[in-house]
């Protein structure tokens, strides 16, 4: 899983993929305008963060998506991302979903963009990015791919996410200002990428990440599936400064 397969942006209306940058084996190919423009971004892990857990207690959240390309969004997850977008932040989506898989006849990248767009998340090509990597056969060629992906991320997730964010940062003048995740391994990766600890939010922490791990901040709620409503009202709207 050493090759960053896709750094793609997709139009809300267009059916074709608009490639802003493709990083293969560490080599970057980007437009000069993308590389020269200073960008500030929110980086968000999709599974377990924008999506709810499949079970009341923690369970693999990407199993349904890996097989069918669908998932349940958390309450006000799309609103959260749209508010950041309207405040001037780029949105960097990422997932451990293998880019070399097909879902319902589509590439994993296309299936993920389709879901994001259908659920109302920002997908405008100028300021949204999706990061995916190829997955090993131990994930893609097994019966329970959701469980295999969860186990793989538990072991290799920090290095995987750190590498993806580092390659995007090398290719573009991007600063990761805020991060949203649901696990200790991704908290570490966000810290490696330069996200301030106090700007890293974990959600759905029951059995997944430790509250306040390495200075991160927790969004908690009923059971393991809290939404973002209170976080938006008490933090994002009043506290997040717009980017000019």
């Amino acid at each position: 899983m050493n090759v960053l397969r896709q750094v793609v942006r997709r139009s809300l209306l267009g059916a074709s993929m608009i490639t802003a940058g493709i990083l293969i084996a560490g080599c970057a190919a980007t437009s000069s305008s993308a590389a020269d423009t200073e960008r500030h971004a929110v980086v968000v892990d999709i599974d377990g963060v924008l999506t709810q857990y499949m079970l009341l207690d923690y369970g693999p959240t990407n199993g349904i998506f890996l097989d069918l390309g669908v998932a349940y969004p958390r309450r006000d997850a799309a609103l959260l991302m749209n508010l950041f977008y309207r405040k001037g932040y780029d949105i960097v989506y990422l997932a451990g979903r293998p880019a070399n898989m097909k879902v319902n006849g589509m590439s994993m990248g296309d299936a993920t963009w389709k879901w994001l767009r259908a659920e109302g998340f920002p997908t405008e090509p100028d300021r949204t990015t999706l990061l995916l990597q190829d997955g090993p056969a131990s994930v893609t060629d097994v019966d329970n791919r959701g469980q295999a992906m969860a186990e793989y991320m538990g072991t290799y997730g920090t290095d995987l996410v750190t590498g993806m964010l580092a390659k995007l940062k090398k290719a573009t003048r991007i600063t990761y200002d805020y991060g949203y995740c649901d696990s200790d391994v991704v908290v570490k990766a966000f810290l490696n990428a330069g996200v301030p600890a106090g700007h890293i939010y974990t959600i759905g922490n029951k059995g997944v990440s430790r509250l306040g791990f390495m200075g991160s901040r927790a969004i908690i709620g009923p059971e393991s599936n809290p939404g973002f409503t209170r976080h938006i009202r008490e933090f994002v709207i009043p506290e997040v400064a717009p980017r000019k």
Side-chain angles (χ1 to χ4, degrees):
M1 210 160 178
N2 295 325
V3 178
L4 181 56
R5 176 64 174 266
Q6 297 183 21
V7 179
V8 294
R9 300 175 191 176
R10 188 181 176 88
S11 167
L12 269 171
L13 301 177
S16 62
M17 189 172 296
I18 301 174
T19 303
I22 300 177
L23 308 183
I24 301 176
C27 297
T30 59
S31 68
S32 59
S33 59
D36 293 339
T37 302
E38 183 180 2
R39 300 163 57 196
H40 289 264
V42 175
V43 56
V44 56
D45 191 3
I46 296 174
D47 292 305
V49 184
L50 300 183
T51 68
Q52 297 184 30
Y53 296 139
M54 294 165 57
L55 307 175
L56 287 180
D57 207 341
Y58 172 68
T61 60
N62 51 7
I64 292 178
F65 202 97
L66 290 179
D67 291 330
L68 300 175
V70 295
Y72 298 106
R74 284 192 186 275
R75 186 173 69 251
D76 287 333
L79 176 60
L80 174 71
M81 293 295 103
N82 276 287
L83 285 171
F84 271 109
Y85 185 86
R86 293 194 178 194
K87 283 175 175 278
Y89 293 86
D90 283 17
I91 309 298
V92 177
Y93 303 105
L94 61 86
R97 304 170 179 182
N100 54 330
M101 280 183 57
K102 285 191 175 294
V103 183
N104 197 26
M106 294 177 285
S107 70
M108 182 59 72
D110 282 348
T112 303
W113 279 122
K114 181 179 179 180
W115 180 83
L116 289 167
R117 187 171 64 251
E119 297 296 340
F121 291 93
T123 56
E124 289 80 353
D126 58 335
R127 287 170 41 217
T128 63
T129 305
L130 171 64
L131 302 182
L132 300 175
Q133 264 187 211
D134 284 350
S138 61
V139 174
T140 61
D141 298 341
V142 298
D143 291 335
N144 191 340
R145 293 181 289 193
Q147 182 65 42
M149 188 72 254
E151 293 173 357
Y152 185 88
M153 287 295 290
T155 303
Y156 301 105
T158 297
D159 289 342
L160 178 133
V161 174
T162 297
M164 289 195 292
L165 293 175
K167 289 172 183 175
L168 179 61
K169 192 168 188 176
K170 183 177 180 181
T172 62
R173 291 182 60 195
I174 194 165
T175 299
Y176 304 118
D177 291 342
Y178 294 92
Y180 289 84
C181 61
D182 73 331
S183 68
D184 294 352
V185 296
V186 182
V187 168
K188 292 178 184 176
F190 284 178
L191 289 170
N192 292 342
V195 184
H199 285 186
I200 298 174
Y201 287 87
T202 60
I203 190 166
N205 304 92
K206 193 174 181 180
V208 186
S209 63
R210 287 163 282 184
L211 302 184
F213 178 69
M214 297 186 75
S216 62
R217 302 169 73 178
I219 300 171
I220 58 176
E223 298 296 339
S224 58
N225 282 315
F228 289 102
T229 307
R230 182 176 177 181
H231 175 71
I232 289 170
R233 182 176 63 245
E234 296 183 356
F235 172 69
V236 178
I237 292 175
E239 300 293 337
V240 174
R243 302 302 311 183
K244 295 182 180 179

